[in-house]
Amino acid sequence: MPIRLSILGSTGSIGRSALEVVRHYPGLFEVVALGAFANTDLLARQIAEFRPAHVAVVDEAAARRLEGTGVGARLWRGPRGLEDMAAVDVDVALCAVVGAAGLKPVLRAIESGHRVALANKEPLVIAGSLIMDTARRAGVKVLPVDSEHSAIFQCIEGHPRDDVHCIHLTASGGPFYGKPSAARRDVSPEEAANHPTWDMGRKISVDSATLMNKGLEVIEAMWLFGMPLDRIRVVIHPQSIIHSLVEFTDGSILAQMGPTDMRFPILFALTWPERVREPMGRLDLTRIEKLTFAEPDFSEFPCLRLALESARRGGTAPAVLNAANEVAVQAFCQRRIPFLEIPRLVESVLAGAELETTVSLESVLASDAAARARAERYIADRF
Ligand SMILES: NC(=O)c1ccc[n+]([C@@H]2O[C@H](COP(=O)([O-])OP(=O)(O)OC[C@H]3O[C@@H](n4cnc5c(N)ncnc54)[C@H](OP(=O)(O)O)[C@@H]3O)[C@@H](O)[C@H]2O)c1
């Protein structure tokens, strides 16, 4: 029996890689549902190739465009449509929307009892307790797609948490690591998105350049693996060959290695607990010249510090951090603010936010909306 999949965010970098995995293993998967925001050109090609029974388009005008072409599938429209489509019956729902917009669809997929392969880290950052509690209640496994978290999962599974001393979360450092801050003053969105080892979507690439991505990943790891903040360490590993490591109480360290290719952790999450027999490629160990590790530089990359501080504060602080960062990254990509303004904006919004200690869907959405408004005001006042 094929593994029945829904892919929320099928037109994005992760969604496209997932469909490459499907293409690579004919007969292993059946694509039941595809969802996107507005890229109906690509979505129409995906529909023609994979013949899903369900399609969701969030943008209303784009949904009308697609409808005009005769979709040949049930069409779900708007944010609510994507959320409802997340509940259709599948074996695995791959959640690969970018940003907090994925929160409700992720929750809906979990509530519907499907296994969730989670690429969309922002929902876990802003509402980790809500998502993990919902998963526990529904008896649903949330499998990480992020390469670092897939690595941790592969090293930690089957070991009691009491045996784990700490997690070492690797970071490539992004395109600017080790370069003087003056070199980052005038960078363009294209330069910031030019990641040295991974080919990814625009937002996560900019987050990697500020190291905000690593901060978000620390919070993601706290929730996925039930680990306190002080037992998660970030280590700079520019080669991105070791995807992360778990250190046990007896001093032993398990590391997971693999090609720098998101199709591998995607495949793992979609097929777990099985492993396919024929790989899409193998890592040639003899071609690896060196593996290096270094402490992160918090002063040059304040976004990492800000993310860890919000994790420590808890409550709605990570939701405020994330919302401010989403607005800042978008404004940078639209050339409305310079690169070095991203951490300043996030810090200012966090400093002025009224934080709540309880994390509920309502408190998180309210904090998200207030932080976005404050971030937009910050930009309007200064640029
Ligand atoms: N890319 C990677 O290698 C990678 C690795 C690890 C984790 N992740 C995480 O995976 C998630 C997706 O990243 P990505 O790089 O694939 O992003 P991306 O290339 O920007 O793709 C985002 C996808 O989400 C859809 N989308 C955008 N805004 C939406 C909204 N408001 N509502 C519903 N759908 C929306 C997009 O549709 P349209 O195309 O129609 O706009 C697209 O299908 C992120 O959370 C990221 O942190 C990515």
Side-chain angles (χ1 to χ4, degrees), residues 36-58:
F37 181 73
N39 185 351
T40 47
D41 288 348
L42 178 55
L43 190 58
R45 292 202 296 279
Q46 293 178 342
I47 295 166
E49 181 177 355
F50 297 99
R51 305 255 165 232
H54 301 267
V55 171
V57 178
V58 172

Side-chain angles (χ1 to χ4, degrees), residues 114-147:
H114 314 135
R115 183 185 305 156
V116 164
L118 191 62
N120 187 192
K121 68 191 73 175
E122 293 88 350
L124 211 44
V125 168
I126 68 177
S129 58
L130 185 63
I131 289 177
M132 298 314 283
D133 285 350
T134 309
R136 255 187 300 277
R137 272 201 309 276
V140 160
K141 189 92 181 161
V142 178
L143 287 159
V145 169
D146 236 330
S147 57

Side-chain angles (χ1 to χ4, degrees), residues 5 14 88 111 117-118 125 146 162 221 245 302 320 327 329 335 366:
L5 293 182
I14 291 288
V88 302
E111 282 161 359
L118 191 62
V125 168
D146 236 330
D162 281 355
L245 314 91
V320 172
V327 172
V329 171
R335 296 180 161 77

Side-chain angles (χ1 to χ4, degrees), residues 306 313 317 319-325 327-328 341-355 367-379 382:
L306 291 168
R313 287 164 85 178
V320 172
L321 169 99
N322 178 71
N325 182 57
V327 172
E341 200 60 35
I342 297 174
R344 291 188 203 121
L345 185 157
V346 173
E347 185 149 33
S348 163
V349 171
L350 265 171
E354 284 172 25
L355 300 179
S367 298
D368 175 278
R372 279 171 204 270
R374 199 179 278 274
E376 288 295 355
R377 265 201 310 280
Y378 177 99
I379 297 170
R382 289 168 182 75

